[in-house]
Amino acid sequence: MKEYLIAVIAGIVQGIVEWLPVSSQGNVALVLTGLGTSPDVALQLALFFQVGTTLSAATYYRDDIVTALRALPKWHPDAAYNGDSAVTSYLVVACLMTGLVGIPLYVVAVDLAGRVSGGVFVAGIGVLLVLTGLVQLAPKSGSAGMREDPTLIDSVLVGAVQGIAILPGVSRSGVTTSALLFRSYDPPAAFRLSFLLSIPASLGAAALTVADAGGLPGVSPGAALTALLVSAIVGYLTIDALMRIVDRIPFSLVCFGLGGLAIVGGGIVSVAV
């Protein structure tokens, strides 16, 4: 019974924090450690439980996924970033960059980097988001802040910074959304592209974890399924709520709120890890 209670708690935390600029991996690992799980297993479970919110994102953005899949047969290098092929190219290139950056970090330095600088990095993202909010208040000209379609440069940049987010304490949604915002993307488009990219990235991280642990990392199949279902349901509700907020209030306020949360969360991770 205790194992299932821990799974429910972890699923709720994962479902809430996945979309916020505070590390879901770091926060879930801290919660699991506080509930008696060993730190190494907690870190592995935190990566594995991201599959639940992957289901949330896949369900919420199912139309975008269908569009990307339908564009595959018509994909051509000369028109890789034109029309419906743009999202397909973005996901493929960004995932390749994530693997190139993330896998070596996971293998070589995940524990050390998490203990040393993870929380500081999250707080730094919070500062960037607050600065983004200040930029949003400044008068804009032309199409600044209105981009929606990804380019090759965006794919490489966002994929690379997402690779860094495999380190404990680094917020995947925080670094990818911030990168897109500073590339002058429209806020809802920045969140959409960030959350779409979380689908293959989280599946890859979970597969890496299972392969590294030689199976489910320290949890029974029943408890793992419980955590995934809870995180999927909570994640869908929270991603919908966040997108409604982004659509209805000035984005500068969103940046200030999320940035402040990231600064506080990063400070907590720095002290606790």
Side-chain angles (χ1 to χ4, degrees):
M1 177 63 70
K2 180 181 178 181
E3 183 183 33
Y4 282 87
L5 177 60
I6 292 174
V8 170
I9 295 173
I12 292 173
V13 174
Q14 172 64 32
I16 293 174
V17 302
E18 172 63 26
W19 322 116
L20 302 177
V22 291
S23 169
S24 62
Q25 178 188 346
N27 282 277
V28 172
L30 286 175
V31 169
L32 289 171
T33 301
L35 293 173
T37 305
S38 63
D40 56 333
V41 173
L43 178 59
Q44 292 176 320
L45 285 175
L47 280 173
F48 178 74
F49 287 161
Q50 291 178 356
V51 173
T53 42
T54 297
L55 296 175
S56 306
T59 303
Y60 192 83
Y61 290 109
R62 56 190 178 276
D63 292 340
D64 293 274
I65 295 173
V66 170
T67 299
L69 292 175
R70 286 177 176 173
L72 276 175
K74 300 178 290 184
W75 188 91
H76 192 276
D78 292 338
Y81 285 90
N82 294 336
D84 292 339
S85 295
V87 172
T88 305
S89 301
Y90 161 77
L91 292 175
V92 172
V93 173
C95 284
L96 289 174
M97 287 302 303
T98 296
L100 289 174
V101 174
I103 292 177
L105 286 178
Y106 179 86
V107 173
V108 176
V110 62
D111 292 329
L112 178 61
R115 289 194 298 267
V116 171
S117 60
V120 174
F121 198 98
V122 176
I125 291 300
V127 173
L128 291 177
L129 283 169
V130 171
L131 291 175
T132 302
L134 293 173
V135 172
Q136 292 291 321
L137 293 176
K140 293 183 178 293
S141 60
S143 58
M146 296 302 293
R147 294 182 58 207
E148 295 184 357
D149 298 320
T151 65
L152 176 59
I153 294 176
D154 299 325
S155 304
V156 172
L157 173 63
V158 176
V161 297
Q162 180 173 253
I164 299 172
I166 202 166
L167 298 174
V170 179
S171 167
R172 191 212 64 82
S173 63
V175 294
T176 54
T177 303
S178 294
L180 289 163
L181 289 173
F182 279 100
R183 288 284 293 166
S184 299
Y185 271 80
D186 177 60
F191 279 98
R192 167 177 158 269
L193 290 173
S194 171
F195 297 160
L196 276 173
L197 191 55
S198 74
I199 299 171
S202 296
L203 290 176
L208 181 63
T209 300
V210 172
D212 186 46
L216 289 177
V219 66
S220 69
L225 180 60
T226 299
L228 296 183
L229 288 176
V230 171
S231 64
I233 294 170
V234 175
Y236 186 89
L237 296 176
T238 52
I239 191 175
D240 182 64
L242 179 59
M243 296 310 297
R244 289 177 184 273
I245 291 173
V246 170
D247 282 334
R248 293 183 180 181
I249 70 174
F251 191 66
S252 59
L253 297 181
V254 177
C255 288
F256 293 145
L258 295 182
L261 182 60
I263 293 171
V264 173
I268 292 174
V269 172
S270 295
V271 172
V273 174

